[in-house]
Amino acid sequence: MPPPNDHASPLLSICKQDDSSDKYFDLSNGKFSVKGFPLLSEVPSNVTFAPLFPSICETSDAPPALLQRVQALSHKGGFLGFHKEAPSDRLMNSLGKFTGREFVSIFRFKTWWSTMWVGNSGSDLQMETQWVLLNVPEIRSYVIIIPVIDGSFRSALHPGTDGHVMICAESGSTKVTASSFDAIAYVHVSENPYNIMKEAYSALRVHLNTFKLLEEKAAPSLVDKFGWCTWDAFYLTVEPAGVCHGLNDFVEGGVSPRFIIIDDGWQSISIDGENPCEDAKNLVLGGTQMTARLYRLDECEKFRKYRGGSMLGPHPPSFDPNKPKMLISKAIELEHAVKDRDKAIEYGVADLDAFESKIQKLKQELDDTFGGEEKSVSTGSSGSCSCKADRYGMKAFTGDLRTKFKCLDDIYVWHALCGAWGGVRPGATHLNSKIVPCKLSDGLDGTMDDLAVVKIIEGGVGLVHPDQAGDFYDSMHSYLADVGITGVKVDVIHSLEYVSEEYGGRVELAKSYYRGLSDSLSKNFEGSGLISSMQQCNDFFFLGTKQISMGRVGDDFWFQDPNGDPMGVYWLQGVHMIHCAYNSLWIGQIIQPDWDMFQSDHLCAKFHAGSRAICGGPVYVSDSVGGHDFDLLKKLVYPDGTIPKCQHFALPTRDCLFRNPLFDKKTILKIWNFNKHGGVIGAFNCQGAGWDPKEKRIKGYSECYKPMSGSVHVTDIEWDQKKEAAQMGEAEEYIIHLNQAEELLLVSPKSEALQITIEPSSFEIFSFVPVKKLGTTIKFAPVGLTNMFNCGGTIQELGYFDSEAETCVKIGVKGGGNFLSYSNASPKKCFLNGAEVDFEWLDNGKLSLNLPWTEAAGGISNVAFLF
């Protein structure tokens, strides 16, 4: 009997075995069965299955409610393992085979990035698959297989021959070996494809106890705001004057960023073979900096030389918005010349003089374009602005930004997980760092060629010893916090797996680094001020997210195809949306999905904007200075820099899950989400590109870039996935508003699906609002501000008051513009902020009035209709 004050007692009661649980799984006679149905055949005799229950009774820091939830569903999950005779650092084993069964999966197509793949056989899987979801209509269920962490090994699924599913367990170090695994893959069954993700990752959170779910953490404060990232605007040429002019552009255009991310280009980095104590010079494009290493933990010279007050006086430093564009253009030209030379070498061309001559000429032209820019940018006359002579550097700069731009809440900066792309220069700081050569796992052989990987392998990583990971991050982050930085974007996360040979393997090395990063995040950035990026591998999610609560769900926004396909400017955008939508299925269980930036003046900017409007996360752009479409941005962003954010994270609709919306020539990507008082579906024609398993790259499929037809129905929204939305899913009638077509339709759950056709790189947003019956004859539904893409998100409050004397609807709306409702009868009166105003009502039920943006009221208008 435990002592009276034994704090483990509640856990013991939670973990009491439920004797009434059904037996869902059986492994016998070479068959793995679920609910009596054989799912995998030809299962090797060395494969084992164990129920979830015993593993969740060990000590866990999960909240009691989560423990209880997992325990109640523990009969629906269990672990596959396997045992071999000889130990190794990398072991491959079949889990059995399946054929003729549709699946959707997520696999790594680059070291850092994952995307979806569909098929109907174990042999259709791609290498480095992070999970596979099987459709099992015979038992009206879905089954997911998730490779996990077991001891010092991580795992991934791979394709086998003749339909077999292979699992690969690897430690990342030849010094760390094993031969047996009891829980190397988790299997879970559910009747709902969205519930299965919640249930499975909840079970793994309790079992592993090395990460936390999103529901347990606070998201960064920027999650419902608009921001600007400097990357595509400047690349590595970012500097203070450009940042200040860029922010000013937005404010003058009527959309005020509430956060800024100063991306790569602000750090003190040097390149091997050059002066180790000076900043690398004249870097422009990503790639040129990937062998460089940190030689200081603070800002580079162009930011260190910033003089406080220089942006605030009457004569701020000049800035030519064409200069970054000229530099980028010339750098791209140089990059192409280098590629041409390398291709000539590959083809055996002996005389390379013409190639080398062109390269040298372009290098000189690039240097000439830089000129004396760094000096003129860094030091500006402060005019009559009084400031202390010693007020220089990043602290002075962030202070001036906040003085000049009152709406600016957060200033983030970029850094790689290891400091810079090439880590930390040995001997340059107080940290014990060592240049470690990179070794790639065999599993990455199936991934796409990647310049970042080539460069990191070329230079190795200056790795700070894992025992100093905490000191490393705290030294950097405490300085940043002191100079006014409120968060960091941490990139290049999965380079750790390249350098784990001498450090106990990839799992143990990751634990040390993520522990240090999490501790620093808690201490320096209020526990949540971090965006994770280049992190879409299970190591990170299972080991690195106890504190981290937000991260990217797609590859980078590419404004053009770096490999030269002129159609890439279009098809890459649809690929990006597929990455984000399908990755959110699993990543959204653990961290807040971030759909990344885009450029508002891009050819497909509207396409991107439509998806960001309903993604459920922050909206930010990477516009060049002077390169904005403010009319488009104002459909996404309020004047105060906040956004009408959805209540959930966007996910693919059920009829898209096992389809290929990229190049099957028939499927439209549909994503669903909730607003406070309705649901929303976005339909996007992403056809025209996708993964090619033979060429191991994402490429265009021009034959698919055509109009696509499909259907939309109110039941496409998974109303039961949020408690607050469940009641809305029970309405008898709904109003559908088509944002692009500007149509209003009255439907019921029994209505036929709405047939749609979407042009390539185009979309439609459907807002679904439950119709409220008032009195005996009135039907009413508020749609929202139709000048915003997510019009339903503009409705903040909604109240119905129905009595014998009068019927009244009161609505709190944020934003300015055309406010639309449906009403089958004209109201008697309309009041706006207590004053009676005119309105327009049409026979088709459209009820509208214009709302002002009132800054003093935070943009909120109180509307009342009397019937």
Side-chain angles (χ1 to χ4, degrees):
M1 181 176 179
N5 295 323
D6 185 353
H7 296 293
S9 299
L11 179 60
L12 292 174
S13 65
I14 288 171
C15 290
K16 185 178 179 181
Q17 177 70 56
D18 181 359
D19 296 330
S20 65
S21 296
D22 296 328
K23 187 177 181 182
Y24 272 43
F25 301 96
D26 178 69
L27 176 57
S28 60
N29 301 318
K31 293 182 179 180
F32 181 65
S33 300
V34 182
K35 294 185 181 180
F37 182 82
L39 187 68
L40 300 175
S41 61
E42 297 183 18
V43 180
S45 59
N46 70 334
V47 173
T48 61
F49 177 79
L52 169 64
F53 171 71
S55 79
I56 64 171
C57 293
E58 300 172 2
T59 302
S60 173
D61 62 4
L66 176 56
L67 282 168
Q68 290 173 340
R69 193 172 80 212
V70 171
Q71 168 60 22
L73 299 172
S74 62
H75 59 286
K76 298 173 68 175
F79 292 96
L80 293 169
F82 69 87
H83 306 272
K84 286 183 177 281
E85 293 184 4
S88 176
D89 63 303
R90 189 172 191 269
L91 303 97
M92 189 83 78
N93 204 87
S94 171
L95 296 178
K97 65 178 283 185
F98 73 88
T99 57
R101 180 163 308 285
E102 62 183 10
F103 72 77
V104 60
S105 64
I106 291 289
F107 75 99
R108 282 205 287 174
F109 70 96
K110 291 183 181 179
T111 296
W112 342 94
W113 306 120
S114 293
T115 194
M116 65 88 74
W117 188 249
V118 295
N120 56 27
S121 159
S123 297
D124 291 337
L125 291 168
Q126 299 300 295
M127 295 177 74
E128 278 293 313
T129 289
Q130 309 293 290
W131 54 262
V132 58
L133 179 68
L134 301 162
N135 188 12
V136 194
E138 296 89 342
I139 53 174
R140 297 182 180 180
S141 295
Y142 303 87
V143 177
I144 192 168
I145 304 173
I146 307 174
V148 296
I149 306 287
D150 192 348
S152 294
F153 283 68
R154 60 78 67 170
S155 61
L157 299 177
H158 292 249
T161 59
D162 193 30
H164 276 266
V165 179
M166 307 300 293
I167 189 161
C168 175
E170 57 187 343
S171 70
S173 172
T174 57
K175 300 177 181 180
V176 179
T177 63
S179 60
S180 297
F181 304 95
D182 295 323
I184 198 65
Y186 181 65
V187 186
H188 197 91
V189 61
S190 179
E191 296 73 30
N192 184 300
Y194 304 98
N195 289 349
I196 202 170
M197 292 294 176
K198 288 182 182 178
E199 295 169 6
Y201 283 97
S202 294
L204 289 172
R205 182 265 182 264
V206 172
H207 164 72
L208 292 171
N209 204 36
T210 53
F211 70 98
K212 290 184 178 180
L213 302 174
L214 176 59
E215 67 187 61
E216 301 177 73
K217 298 175 287 195
S221 60
L222 52 74
V223 71
D224 59 354
K225 297 172 184 175
F226 170 69
W228 180 46
C229 177
T230 63
W231 180 241
D232 288 306
F234 305 102
Y235 296 120
L236 301 171
T237 71
V238 62
E239 44 81 23
V243 172
C244 191
H245 281 266
L247 284 170
N248 198 61
D249 265 7
F250 286 106
V251 174
E252 290 185 350
V255 285
S256 299
R258 297 293 286 267
F259 68 91
I260 182 174
I261 302 170
I262 301 174
D263 213 294
D264 199 357
W266 70 273
Q267 292 177 298
S268 298
I269 59 173
S270 58
I271 295 174
D272 294 353
E274 298 181 4
N275 189 328
C277 298
E278 284 187 5
D279 294 337
K281 303 298 182 185
N282 296 357
L283 301 180
V284 182
L285 299 180
T288 54
Q289 88 289 26
M290 289 177 179
T291 56
R293 314 186 201 282
L294 284 185
Y295 72 93
R296 299 168 57 129
L297 302 183
D298 61 356
E299 66 270 25
C300 63
E301 186 180 21
K302 58 189 173 182
F303 280 89
R304 284 200 305 273
K305 289 171 68 177
Y306 176 80
R307 179 163 37 181
S310 59
M311 296 297 179
L312 306 179
H315 304 293
S318 62
F319 177 76
D320 179 2
N322 290 317
K323 180 64 74 70
K325 296 173 184 176
M326 293 166 58
L327 289 168
I328 291 167
S329 177
K330 185 61 65 176
I332 290 174
E333 194 178 352
L334 173 59
E335 183 179 72
H336 289 165
V338 171
K339 285 182 178 179
D340 289 343
R341 180 201 61 190
D342 294 346
K343 195 172 292 184
I345 294 172
E346 188 180 327
Y347 290 155
V349 175
D351 185 2
L352 300 174
D353 288 349
F355 294 99
E356 296 292 354
S357 176
K358 182 176 181 180
I359 289 170
Q360 292 307 313
K361 177 176 178 291
L362 290 171
K363 282 184 176 179
Q364 185 60 53
E365 290 174 356
L366 183 63
D367 289 346
D368 292 343
T369 305
F370 268 104
E373 181 190 77
E374 287 192 41
K375 182 176 180 181
S376 65
V377 164
S378 302
T379 59
S381 170
S382 61
S384 60
C385 177
S386 64
C387 59
K388 294 182 179 179
D390 61 350
R391 189 175 170 231
Y392 283 87
M394 187 67 86
K395 189 168 188 175
F397 181 55
T398 61
D400 284 358
L401 288 182
R402 289 192 169 91
T403 298
K404 187 174 180 67
F405 306 107
K406 302 298 184 184
C407 281
L408 193 62
D409 297 324
D410 285 292
I411 303 173
Y412 278 40
V413 295
W414 177 100
H415 71 76
L417 184 71
C418 294
W421 288 85
V424 176
R425 180 169 298 284
T429 71
H430 72 284
L431 299 164
N432 174 22
S433 66
K434 171 186 174 183
I435 297 178
V436 180
C438 296
K439 177 184 175 183
L440 269 62
S441 163
D442 291 345
L444 294 175
D445 287 346
T447 57
M448 187 171 172
D449 288 344
D450 186 352
L451 175 64
V453 176
V454 172
K455 287 293 186 180
I456 292 172
I457 291 174
E458 176 187 321
V461 175
L463 188 72
V464 172
H465 194 281
D467 289 348
Q468 285 190 304
D471 184 8
F472 169 41
Y473 290 122
D474 185 53
S475 295
M476 184 161 47
H477 292 167
S478 61
Y479 170 77
L480 290 172
D482 184 62
V483 299
I485 301 300
T486 56
V488 286
K489 172 185 172 182
V490 180
D491 219 345
V492 206
I493 284 178
H494 262 277
S495 58
L496 272 190
E497 70 178 85
Y498 297 166
V499 292
S500 59
E501 171 66 27
E502 300 295 326
Y503 299 97
R506 61 194 287 174
V507 171
E508 298 309 315
L509 179 60
K511 284 180 178 178
S512 295
Y513 263 72
Y514 295 145
R515 187 184 309 116
L517 183 61
S518 296
D519 289 346
S520 180
L521 175 59
S522 296
K523 175 188 173 186
N524 297 300
F525 300 129
E526 298 186 354
S528 62
L530 188 150
I531 301 171
S532 55
S533 181
M534 299 178 73
Q535 85 299 9
Q536 292 164 13
C537 182
N538 55 8
D539 306 42
F540 170 77
F541 292 103
F542 291 147
L543 300 172
T545 55
K546 273 210 164 184
Q547 192 67 42
I548 294 170
S549 59
M550 183 166 151
R552 292 267 302 280
V553 286
D555 189 0
D556 292 334
F557 160 74
W558 292 93
F559 68 91
Q560 64 181 14
D561 178 21
N563 296 312
D565 183 349
M567 281 298 292
V569 70
Y570 298 101
W571 60 250
L572 272 166
Q573 317 318 319
V575 170
H576 186 277
M577 288 183 199
I578 297 299
H579 295 335
C580 294
Y582 287 81
N583 270 321
S584 293
L585 286 163
W586 67 303
I587 293 176
Q589 309 305 321
I590 301 170
I591 59 177
Q592 168 67 46
D594 168 14
W595 281 51
D596 196 23
M597 59 208 172
F598 68 102
Q599 290 182 306
S600 71
D601 65 346
H602 187 269
L603 286 170
C604 294
K606 189 176 181 181
F607 191 48
H608 276 284
S611 69
R612 301 310 192 280
I614 61 171
C615 73
V619 173
Y620 56 113
V621 293
S622 194
D623 290 356
S624 300
V625 179
H628 316 286
D629 183 340
F630 287 116
D631 289 339
L632 180 68
L633 291 175
K634 289 173 183 178
K635 295 177 183 294
L636 287 168
V637 186
Y638 296 126
D640 66 356
T642 60
I643 59 174
K645 177 183 170 293
C646 285
Q647 303 289 297
H648 199 261
F649 46 89
L651 293 173
T653 57
R654 199 175 291 220
D655 57 349
C656 289
L657 284 180
F658 299 96
R659 302 292 176 261
N660 183 349
L662 281 174
F663 58 95
D664 70 359
K665 300 182 181 180
K666 59 184 179 183
T667 303
I668 295 171
L669 171 68
K670 295 188 297 181
I671 54 177
W672 59 266
N673 211 329
F674 307 120
N675 287 310
K676 203 170 180 181
H677 299 285
V680 62
I681 290 176
F684 298 84
N685 185 347
C686 299
Q687 294 276 337
W691 177 252
D692 185 320
K694 293 181 180 179
E695 297 186 23
K696 298 179 182 178
R697 69 184 181 98
I698 290 173
K699 69 175 189 179
Y701 289 87
S702 58
E703 68 274 16
C704 302
Y705 195 74
K706 297 177 180 178
M708 294 290 151
S709 296
S711 64
V712 172
H713 195 268
V714 64
T715 54
D716 289 337
I717 299 173
E718 301 288 331
W719 299 99
D720 64 346
Q721 290 302 299
K722 191 171 180 65
K723 183 179 178 182
E724 297 84 350
Q727 188 175 355
M728 293 191 291
E730 299 173 357
E732 294 180 4
E733 290 182 304
Y734 296 84
I735 279 295
I736 308 178
H737 177 257
L738 283 66
N739 183 272
Q740 297 298 288
E742 299 182 354
E743 294 181 18
L744 203 60
L745 305 172
L746 178 65
V747 301
S748 78
K750 296 179 181 179
S751 299
E752 292 291 323
L754 180 63
Q755 300 303 308
I756 60 172
T757 297
I758 308 289
E759 295 295 317
S761 301
S762 299
F763 69 98
E764 182 59 271
I765 295 176
F766 304 84
S767 295
F768 291 79
V769 188
V771 173
K772 179 73 172 180
K773 292 183 178 179
L774 301 169
T776 57
T777 60
I778 298 170
K779 295 180 179 181
F780 187 91
V783 172
L785 292 174
T786 59
N787 48 290
M788 305 293 283
F789 283 129
N790 184 25
C791 57
T794 64
I795 300 174
Q796 308 293 301
E797 302 293 337
L798 176 61
Y800 294 103
F801 305 90
D802 199 4
S803 68
E804 291 183 7
E806 67 175 11
T807 296
C808 179
V809 181
K810 293 183 178 180
I811 311 162
V813 186
K814 183 166 183 176
N818 180 57
F819 177 67
L820 177 67
S821 296
Y822 168 80
S823 178
N824 67 334
S826 176
K828 296 176 182 177
K829 292 182 180 181
C830 175
F831 293 89
L832 174 59
N833 298 325
E836 187 172 352
V837 294
D838 293 333
F839 60 88
E840 181 181 61
W841 179 82
L842 302 176
D843 289 341
N844 61 5
K846 286 188 175 181
L847 172 62
S848 58
L849 72 152
N850 192 65
L851 301 183
W853 172 268
T854 306
E855 189 68 36
I860 300 291
S861 294
N862 294 305
V863 179
F865 293 109
L866 269 60
F867 292 89

